[in-house]
Amino acid sequence: MLVLIAAHAAVAALLPALAPRAGRAVWWVAALVPLATLVWAVALTPSVLDGDAPVEHFGWAPSLGLEVVLRLDALSLLMTVIVSGVGAAVLFYGARYTSEGHGRESALLLAFAGVMLGLVTADNLLVLYVFWELTTVVSFLLIAGRGRTREHREAAQQALVVTTGGGLAMLLGFVMLGETAGTYRISELVADPPDGGYVPAALVLVLVGVFTKSAQFPLHGWLPAAMVAPTTVSAYLHAAAMVKAGVYLTARLAPGFADTEPWRPLVLTVGLLSLVLGAWRALWESDLKRVLAYGTISELGLLIALFGYGTRNSALAGEVMLLAHATFKASLFLITGLVEHHTGTREIGRLSGLGRRRPVLLALAALAAASMAGLPPLVGYLGHEAYFDTFWNAARHGPGTGEEWVLAALVAGSALTAAYAVRYLWGAFASRPGAEPTPQEDPGDRALGMAVPIAALVTATVALGVWYPGTETLTEPYADRLPSAQKPYHLALWHGLSPALLLSAAALAAGLLLYRLRPALAALRDRAPRAPDAQEGYRRTEQVLDRAALGFTRRTQVGSLPVYLTVLLATVLVVPGTALLLRDTPFTAPPLWASAIQVPLGVVVLIAAVTLARVHRRLSAALLAGAVGYGVAGLFLVQGAPDLALTQLLVETLTLVIIVLVLRGLPAHLGPQRAQPRTRRLRLALSAAVGTLVALVAVAASAARRDPAVSAYYTEHVKEAGAHNVVNAIIVDFRAMDTLGEIAVLLVAAIGVGALILLPAGARRAGAPVHSRPPAADRYPATARWGVPQDRWLPEAENMPAHDRLIMLEVVTRLLFPSILVLSVYLLYSGHLRPGGGFAGGLVAGQAFTLRYLVGGRIDAAFAGRVDPRVIAGAGLALAATAGLAPIAFGGDPLATALPSATLPVFGHLELSTSVVFDTGVYLLVVGVCLKLLVAMGPAQAPAGQVPGPSGGEPGGTGQPVPSDASGSRDR
């Protein structure tokens, strides 16, 4: 299972790169992956149906008790068949249907298939939630497309907001269930469900997530809006896959919680309401896709009611309808796409005469619609018979808890379903009296390629109905897990003249009558009061939230950094400070110093900090802040932490340089002190209180340690990682997952900072006229200073302003740049044995590029390569992640260090390890982040009056000055 999910992700990642050469063929490549998954599922079907449930698991965060568990049982098998089978058909269809963006669309659909496979096989609530939200993200990208129209963007945003909101509520419910039960394993949770306590509230929260994902009233508005997406997206996400996630979760939890209040009343009320209202709305839509969209809402309500009822026979009916809906609704969506392909429209009022000219397409549509309406011998008929029989007997012999109303709603919903099925067929294919046949485009060979997947799905609809013993074999094992208060129902095309048959016939007859009476019903509908519209409700809710957010932001975001810092520090003082006071915290006086050298270092830090609070020049403040950092690095070194001292020193140096570069674009002085004396006293008191709190927390934390220090464990086991440097072994081995998360955050932060720096300059200067002026070197005569070089030590340096050039710095840079890079590589590969490592090596390389930047700016040769710094950083993250996953291929755990050893003819016995590769990834990421920050400094530190050019820098391609006179106004 894990290999198949990874295959979906890997192939999806390759498809965009393959698309420029392969074109439409990438759809065929993509379709092979779910097709292989289907073959795998079919091969395992006999053993799974016999009770075997393969399980795969590996530690996600073992120290926290988190693990990834995948399990294939009868219900997961059924959903896997649906997800992979319909997914393969849709991808084959997309090869002919899609006209552009082959790589992006096929990759996203394939990724979605992999995410759904993970969702239906997950046996851990938190893992299921991760896949649940991934379906939301991928569906957002698929609905939005390339975001070319506002309609697409708004539909995608609505789907994202609604389903994510429900998902967050569901996550809270999962946590409450897991903590109450003492396990997050779904199979264990259902086998021994908790009761009482938070369970009822948790179930309500979980069902909120179910109702949003499966588009149930009144949270259904996002699904019809999503019909702006291409037909392939609608057929897969909104008929067979994504919207089935809520149905699947209902079926998964029903065996354990169907009898727990308020589960059954809630699922029956919402499900049956959606069944009737969705079918009623579908009867009045004029767009074929919206007819099917509201029909999908209706049938999802039916499925939730059947599975949520929680009995053996209702679950059997639900499974059959699940198969039926996946086949007939996906095929009808694909047929709608082919109709639009032939005629250029989906509007019922503009379609006429298509059935006579496309009889094969009409036959396929008729079979799919007949299954939807419940006609024999199709699989939809089997489902209708099953749920009518179940609730007829429940109404007659049940406990009398409203099963009669459930049966009435099922009959009404089935009748409306038959009515809109007729409307779909008649509207798409009939010849309208007095209307000219709809003009058709020449389909060429594409129509045949689109019809084959449709025929495959319709064939499945017929086969599952005719071969009902096989359908029962596939669906019965899950149903048998639920209690049965009635005689077990068995699928058959003929049960004799039974009440279920009569109810089916009555629903069909009522549906035909409703369609015939549609004009009279339309007049009645127009005179009746309008029910609240879900879409209008969503828009009004959005407007209210926007106004509330604007008002709140206007009152809290006042644009004053001192105010923000005061609020943050006050919060730190109140929350942890109150906790510290309320607890019986032991305080032991720490030694004043452990070594005499710590005294002068501490004095330097304190003097620099006090002086920093009193200076008024920005550069002085930056230098004093650096002095504090260097003093702390010295304390680390004296304390016996050379790795930490080295990292602190390098980070402090790089930070200091970047701060100074930024300060070049700011006034030299910090400005006058405008705060009132009372405000200044308040800030002084708050600062002193926070400092005292931090000191007390540090002392209390040291005194509160009762268990042995974890460092002893690392020291004892460091040789198992093949290391002598404990710190580096912790980073790349013991706590590699933490490091992977931290470097990912670092990459995201660097990209965000770079974007914030570059965007305002580009937006401010966009479209501004550029006028030539002499280069900076000509505006500042070389005779102004004796140290200004006359020779081209570094060719790029001649583009720097003359007053910014120093001959000594240019010479030293040319001499030291290669050596510093070599030193950085040395620190990288020696870090496992002595102080260093990927982070320290990357920072040293960053210092080398900082020197080049200081003497040559952004046009320096070191920054002129075609490789984007983001690509370097991204490659580092990918390399680290790959090294972490590599042990899985050898049967090990993720992020394990050791791999199988090997004996080579020349090199002899080798012990292979992933830690060096992981550390190399860290090195590349840090180098990429440093380059990104330096490249972003161009616009930030450009002197006033200069405009960053295309590459964001200075004269010679990086920017030109802007005249300040009226004829060349900067604001023009």
Side-chain angles (χ1 to χ4, degrees):
M1 290 173 275
L2 182 62
V3 172
L4 287 172
I5 295 172
H8 281 78
V11 176
L14 293 175
L15 290 178
L18 188 62
R21 296 185 179 182
R24 295 181 184 274
V26 294
W27 290 92
W28 296 78
V29 175
L32 294 177
V33 182
L35 192 61
T37 305
L38 179 62
V39 173
W40 169 80
V42 171
L44 289 179
T45 297
S47 61
V48 172
L49 296 182
D50 286 340
D52 183 25
V55 177
E56 296 178 6
H57 64 87
F58 63 89
W60 178 3
S63 60
L64 300 177
L66 299 178
E67 58 179 356
V68 175
V69 184
L70 304 176
R71 184 172 180 267
L72 188 70
D73 61 4
L75 181 61
S76 298
L77 177 69
L78 181 67
M79 284 298 299
T80 300
V81 169
I82 292 173
V83 169
S84 56
V86 178
V90 169
L91 288 168
F92 279 120
Y93 178 93
R96 295 296 181 183
Y97 173 81
T98 307
S99 57
E100 62 176 357
H102 300 293
R104 180 185 186 276
E105 299 302 317
S106 61
L108 286 175
L109 280 171
L110 180 59
F112 188 87
V115 171
M116 279 299 302
L117 178 62
L119 189 152
V120 301
T121 56
D123 193 36
N124 181 287
L125 289 175
L126 299 180
V127 175
L128 185 146
Y129 174 75
V130 170
F131 284 114
W132 184 283
E133 291 304 318
L134 286 175
T135 63
T136 299
V137 173
V138 180
S139 67
F140 169 81
L141 297 174
L142 285 167
I143 296 170
R146 297 179 181 273
R148 293 175 179 172
T149 67
R150 180 178 179 180
E151 188 178 16
H152 283 79
R153 295 193 296 270
E154 289 182 348
Q157 177 182 320
Q158 183 177 354
L160 180 70
V161 170
V162 174
T163 56
T164 301
L168 290 174
M170 186 185 73
L171 175 61
L172 179 57
F174 281 173
V175 173
M176 294 166 68
L177 279 179
E179 292 301 314
T180 303
T183 178
Y184 284 85
R185 288 285 294 269
I186 300 175
S187 55
E188 297 175 0
L189 195 67
V190 173
D192 185 18
D195 56 1
Y198 298 116
V199 173
L203 292 179
V204 171
L205 292 171
V206 170
L207 289 175
V208 169
V210 167
F211 297 152
T212 56
K213 184 70 81 172
S214 290
Q216 297 297 280
F217 276 84
L219 305 170
H220 65 284
W222 68 267
L223 182 57
M227 291 302 106
V228 298
T231 295
T232 48
V233 176
S234 300
Y236 194 36
L237 274 66
H238 307 136
M242 173 182 170
V243 290
K244 292 287 198 313
V247 175
Y248 166 77
L249 185 56
T250 304
R252 176 59 70 194
L253 297 180
F257 298 100
D259 294 326
T260 303
E261 296 293 337
W263 175 280
R264 186 172 284 129
L266 192 55
V267 294
L268 288 177
T269 302
V270 175
L272 295 175
L273 185 68
S274 301
L275 166 66
V276 175
L277 295 181
W280 174 258
R281 285 293 302 268
L283 189 58
W284 305 103
E285 292 294 331
S286 59
D287 184 308
L288 292 178
K289 281 184 71 174
R290 288 179 67 87
V291 171
L292 298 177
Y294 277 104
T296 298
I297 295 170
S298 173
E299 284 135 6
L300 291 173
L302 171 65
L303 291 170
I304 285 177
L306 293 177
F307 282 114
Y309 188 66
T311 65
R312 186 263 182 199
N313 290 349
S314 68
L316 181 68
E319 287 183 280
V320 176
M321 288 304 301
L322 190 69
L323 283 169
H325 182 262
T327 51
F328 69 65
K329 188 54 67 73
S331 59
L332 286 173
F333 268 111
L334 298 182
I335 288 169
T336 302
L338 193 49
V339 168
E340 186 178 16
H341 174 72
H342 285 315
T343 63
T345 183
R346 301 192 308 257
E347 290 294 325
I348 291 177
R350 297 172 58 188
L351 291 168
S352 179
L354 185 62
R356 291 183 177 178
R357 287 172 289 175
R358 305 292 175 190
V360 175
L361 188 61
L362 172 60
L364 294 173
L367 286 171
S371 181
M372 182 167 64
L375 288 174
L378 305 169
V379 66
Y381 169 76
L382 296 178
H384 281 68
E385 287 278 287
Y387 67 69
F388 279 137
D389 182 87
T390 298
F391 286 96
W392 170 264
N393 289 313
R396 290 183 61 202
H397 309 295
T401 55
E403 281 79 2
E404 299 86 354
W405 291 104
V406 175
L407 182 62
L410 291 174
V411 173
S414 299
L416 289 168
T417 300
Y420 77 74
V422 175
R423 173 163 171 74
Y424 177 89
L425 276 180
W426 188 267
F429 296 99
S431 297
R432 300 181 179 279
E436 294 293 329
T438 305
Q440 298 186 48
E441 301 176 2
D442 181 16
D445 295 335
R446 291 175 59 188
L448 179 61
M450 294 161 68
V452 171
I454 298 172
L457 290 171
V458 173
T459 301
T461 298
V462 177
L464 289 169
V466 174
W467 188 47
Y468 59 85
T471 304
E472 185 173 61
T473 301
L474 182 62
T475 56
E476 204 171 32
Y478 165 75
D480 287 340
R481 295 182 55 201
L482 285 98
S484 178
Q486 309 165 13
K487 179 181 178 181
Y489 180 84
H490 295 283
L491 301 180
L493 289 174
W494 177 251
H495 288 94
L497 193 62
S498 62
L501 179 62
L502 295 177
L503 289 173
S504 294
L508 287 170
L512 294 174
L513 181 62
L514 283 172
Y515 183 74
R516 290 297 301 271
L517 297 176
R518 188 173 172 276
L521 291 174
L524 181 63
R525 172 176 170 267
D526 293 338
R527 290 194 298 269
R530 298 297 299 270
D533 183 70
Q535 200 67 5
E536 183 63 25
Y538 171 80
R539 292 195 186 97
R540 291 186 178 181
T541 303
E542 189 179 35
Q543 291 170 0
V544 170
L545 290 175
D546 285 344
R547 286 196 294 268
L550 182 62
F552 181 79
T553 303
R554 187 176 293 155
R555 287 166 175 77
T556 56
Q557 301 297 312
V558 295
S560 172
L561 184 58
V563 172
Y564 299 154
L565 289 175
T566 301
V567 172
L568 290 174
L569 293 176
T571 304
V572 170
L573 183 64
V574 170
V575 178
T578 303
L580 192 65
L581 291 175
L582 294 178
R583 292 177 61 89
D584 185 13
T585 306
F587 290 96
T588 57
L592 294 179
W593 58 78
S595 173
I597 195 63
Q598 290 178 333
V599 176
L601 288 173
V603 171
V604 169
V605 170
L606 291 175
I607 292 175
V610 172
T611 308
L612 173 61
R614 302 184 61 83
V615 298
H616 298 286
R617 295 183 65 87
R618 298 180 190 273
L619 181 59
S620 301
L623 295 176
L624 287 168
V628 172
Y630 290 136
V632 172
L635 290 172
F636 289 152
L637 184 62
V638 172
Q639 197 65 25
D643 279 278
L644 191 56
L646 176 62
T647 303
Q648 171 75 13
L649 182 67
L650 294 172
V651 169
E652 200 65 51
T653 302
L654 187 62
T655 304
L656 182 61
V657 171
I658 292 176
I659 289 176
V660 170
L661 289 175
V662 173
L663 292 182
R664 293 182 60 189
L666 297 175
H669 289 79
L670 292 171
Q673 177 61 260
R674 297 187 178 91
Q676 298 295 328
R678 180 182 301 177
T679 304
R680 296 179 63 184
R681 287 194 294 270
L682 172 64
R683 293 174 181 172
L684 180 61
L686 181 62
S687 301
V690 171
T692 304
L693 173 66
V694 172
L696 291 176
V697 169
V699 173
S702 300
R705 176 179 292 168
R706 295 181 175 87
D707 296 328
V710 71
S711 57
Y713 171 84
Y714 293 141
T715 305
E716 294 172 1
H717 294 81
V718 66
K719 292 186 177 179
E720 296 178 7
H724 298 286
N725 184 349
V726 179
V727 175
N728 187 259
I730 293 173
I731 293 174
V732 301
D733 188 357
F734 297 113
R735 304 300 297 270
M737 177 64 79
D738 293 346
T739 304
L740 189 61
E742 289 164 3
I743 62 176
V745 172
L746 178 62
L747 174 59
V748 173
I751 293 175
V753 169
L756 289 174
I757 293 174
L758 290 171
L759 181 60
R764 185 169 59 249
R765 310 302 189 191
V770 178
H771 299 267
S772 296
R773 288 184 66 184
D778 295 340
R779 300 202 308 275
Y780 298 95
T783 57
R785 286 172 56 189
W786 68 270
V788 174
Q790 304 298 318
D791 299 324
R792 298 175 59 189
W793 291 97
L794 289 178
E796 303 85 0
E798 67 180 4
N799 294 289
M800 297 287 289
H803 67 292
D804 282 349
R805 296 181 62 193
L806 277 175
I807 185 171
M808 184 62 68
L809 183 61
E810 292 179 13
V811 173
V812 170
T813 297
R814 166 162 285 189
L815 294 176
L816 292 185
F817 179 73
S819 302
I820 297 176
L821 289 182
V822 172
L823 175 61
S824 72
V825 176
Y826 169 78
L827 290 174
L828 163 64
Y829 291 114
S830 68
H832 228 45
L833 304 175
R834 51 187 62 87
F839 194 75
L843 288 173
V844 170
Q847 312 288 353
F849 285 107
T850 300
L851 279 175
R852 294 297 297 260
Y853 181 83
L854 291 175
V855 301
R858 282 192 54 186
I859 63 171
D860 190 280
F863 304 95
R866 295 185 178 182
V867 180
D868 192 300
R870 292 171 295 184
V871 175
I872 298 174
L877 181 62
L879 183 62
T882 303
L885 296 176
I888 299 177
F890 298 93
D893 294 328
L895 295 170
T897 298
L899 293 176
S901 59
T903 302
L904 301 180
V906 177
F907 297 96
H909 185 74
L910 295 179
E911 294 287 345
L912 303 180
S913 173
T914 61
S915 59
V916 175
V917 181
F918 186 90
D919 222 8
T920 303
V922 176
Y923 174 88
L924 290 175
L925 186 138
V926 173
V927 171
V929 168
C930 292
L931 289 174
K932 177 62 182 174
L933 292 177
L934 290 173
V935 167
M937 287 301 105
Q941 57 92 26
Q946 286 190 353
V947 180
S951 57
E954 298 159 354
T958 57
Q960 293 294 340
V962 177
S964 57
D965 58 5
S967 61
S969 175
R970 191 182 313 171
D971 300 328
R972 188 174 64 183

